[in-house]
Amino acid sequence: MTATDVSAPATQARIPGSKSLTNRALLLAAAAGGVSTVWAPLLSDDTRAFRAALTSFGVAVRSSPTSEFWEVTGLGGGPVGQARLWCADAGTAARFLPPFAAAGRGAFLFDGSSQLRARPLRPLVEALRRLGAQVETGPGGGLPLLIIASDLPGGELTVESSLSSQYLSGLLMAAPLMRYGLRARAEALVSSPYVDMTLTLMRRFGAGVEKTADGAIRIEPGGYTPTDLVIEPDASTASYFFAAAAVTGRTITVPGLGTGSLQGDLRFVDVLEKAGAQVTVTESATTVRGGDGLRGGFDVDMGDISDTFMTLAAIAPLADTPITIHGIGHARLKESDRITAVASNLRACGIRVAEGADWITVHPGRPAPARISCHRDHRIAMSFSVLALGSGVPLELDDPGCVAKTFPGFHAELHRLFPDTLDREERQ
Ligand SMILES: O=C(O)C1=C[C@@H](OP(=O)(O)O)[C@@H](O)[C@H](O)C1
Ligand SMILES: C=C(OP(=O)(O)O)C(=O)O
């Protein structure tokens, strides 16, 4: 193919905005007193749920005609009054919004889908009660959650963080609204890059944030200042396109994800490098170039970037030797029990897999055609789509639409970037 060949497949992936950055920006803008603009927000089920919940609190969010930006008029503090908040499937909504509500005044009832009701909230509920909030939970100790709020004094807090980092992030974001601020310490923190992202965004919205020498985080009282923020493309979403490059020998670039990225999940490209791909990260973009096949024979800790472990596990059968991923026990508590969901789907494709409480080993093998159970988990659908692409073996997703949680246009974008490969696969 030449540089002028108009049929050359595209190499620049169009990745929508980060879910984690969009929902943090929305919350901080809602708490600030004045108008903030969130540029290039993610438009997906999770961010729509988060935005709708903020609207229920009385926050005004206006979209530009093409949703190029969202303009948020904040409350200048926590919410006041009474509201019912629907969190849908969004873990970030169920973990970030209750601390915000508790720092306000009134009665707030949170609920979500049966999938979200099954996800743990106990460490957050306990932390809020220790701070003085009145919280009633559903029968399982999580959603539905009723919060009777009458401001929070703040103070000192240790947050159990082995199940999720989102509890700590939610409490930290509410801390500038507490009378005396907060000095928080995480116990057994997983997914730590997300807490760094939280602190960086809080600083951008003017909060006083300091990591102390003894490992605590000190947040000053004083609220937030409205800010304009540009949302980066989502690094977890980008992982599917980088993996697709690695398994097809193609080159994929994601503009807007570079050395200054706030997202830990961009480190997924280091894992692909271990597996033989060539990776270039500049200030403004990341490029992955696939080599001749995938190299295995390594054991990698993906505890900090566990949303991307399934991307690797799903393509691991295409490697020359086994791949082990460890440190991912908390991935059993997400949209699905992700270790078991990946293992059982790979086994359905005839692949040998071993798993433990917090690890998985995937052996090489050519997958057989199979029907993939997505468990309403967007990442199962996206990961196994990349396995189908790389192996040329048809895999039928039982719920292709579940990708809407973070990327409604996923299948179209994969097809745009890999038309030949996918057409060949469809003809088989
Ligand atoms: O703070 C966030 O935005 C997130 C934190 C991570 O969750 P855990 O901390 O539960 O691992 C990640 O899996 C999730 O998709 C988004
Ligand atoms: C775990 C995830 O989402 P959340 O916890 O935000 O629902 C995810 O997007 O993979």
Side-chain angles (χ1 to χ4, degrees), residues 142-160:
L143 295 178
L145 207 68
L146 175 66
I147 300 198
I148 310 289
S150 51
D151 296 329
L152 283 182
E156 292 227 1
L157 193 65
T158 299
V159 184
E160 183 192 327

Side-chain angles (χ1 to χ4, degrees), residues 156-161 168 183-187 212 214-217:
E156 292 227 1
L157 193 65
T158 299
V159 184
E160 183 192 327
S161 302
L168 179 62
R183 188 184 164 86
R185 194 180 285 282
E187 199 172 76
T212 63
D214 62 352
I217 302 168

Side-chain angles (χ1 to χ4, degrees), residues 205-419:
F205 278 83
V209 172
E210 186 201 349
K211 276 193 174 173
T212 63
D214 62 352
I217 302 168
R218 167 80 205 148
I219 310 292
E220 298 303 324
Y224 291 106
T225 312
T227 303
D228 291 354
L229 200 79
V230 181
I231 302 298
E232 298 172 11
D234 192 295
S236 326
T237 301
S239 75
Y240 308 108
F241 296 89
F242 292 142
V247 295
T248 56
R250 288 260 315 275
T251 298
I252 289 290
T253 296
V254 177
L257 267 185
T259 44
S261 171
L262 304 180
Q263 298 172 78
D265 277 13
L266 185 53
R267 293 190 214 151
F268 178 70
V269 296
D270 299 342
V271 182
L272 286 180
E273 202 165 38
K274 258 187 217 294
Q278 260 182 52
V279 174
T280 313
V281 187
T282 67
E283 258 176 43
S284 58
T286 297
T287 298
V288 171
R289 185 186 303 266
D292 316 326
L294 215 59
R295 219 165 46 214
F298 60 86
D299 180 339
V300 60
D301 182 344
M302 295 184 80
D304 272 353
I305 57 169
S306 76
D307 281 0
T308 62
F309 103 79
M310 287 172 291
T311 322
L312 177 66
I315 60 169
L318 309 179
D320 53 359
T321 45
I323 291 178
T324 295
I325 304 167
H326 69 270
I328 50 170
H330 55 296
R332 292 189 182 277
L333 305 169
K334 309 241 175 181
E335 288 81 335
S336 64
D337 171 342
R338 287 177 163 172
I339 299 181
T340 297
V342 167
S344 57
N345 278 313
L346 285 172
R347 286 187 189 116
C349 300
I351 302 298
R352 205 174 125 215
V353 180
E355 66 175 291
D358 70 346
W359 59 271
I360 186 167
T361 297
V362 181
H363 292 264
R366 180 170 163 75
R371 185 171 159 85
I372 302 300
S373 299
C374 295
H375 301 269
R376 284 187 62 240
D377 187 336
H378 53 144
R379 301 204 187 282
I380 298 285
M382 296 194 274
S383 300
F384 280 83
S385 298
V386 181
L387 175 60
L389 175 74
S391 62
V393 172
L395 299 177
E396 187 194 347
L397 303 176
D398 69 351
D399 182 10
C402 69
V403 298
K405 187 171 194 275
T406 47
F407 189 8
F410 171 79
H411 300 294
E413 182 60 2
L414 198 64
H415 203 277
R416 186 184 72 84
L417 291 165
F418 296 92

Side-chain angles (χ1 to χ4, degrees), residues 41-63:
L42 171 64
L43 311 178
S44 79
D45 289 354
D46 266 18
T47 58
R48 287 202 183 89
F50 204 96
R51 174 184 162 158
L54 288 177
T55 308
S56 308
F57 280 136
V59 177
V61 186
R62 187 183 73 82
S63 300

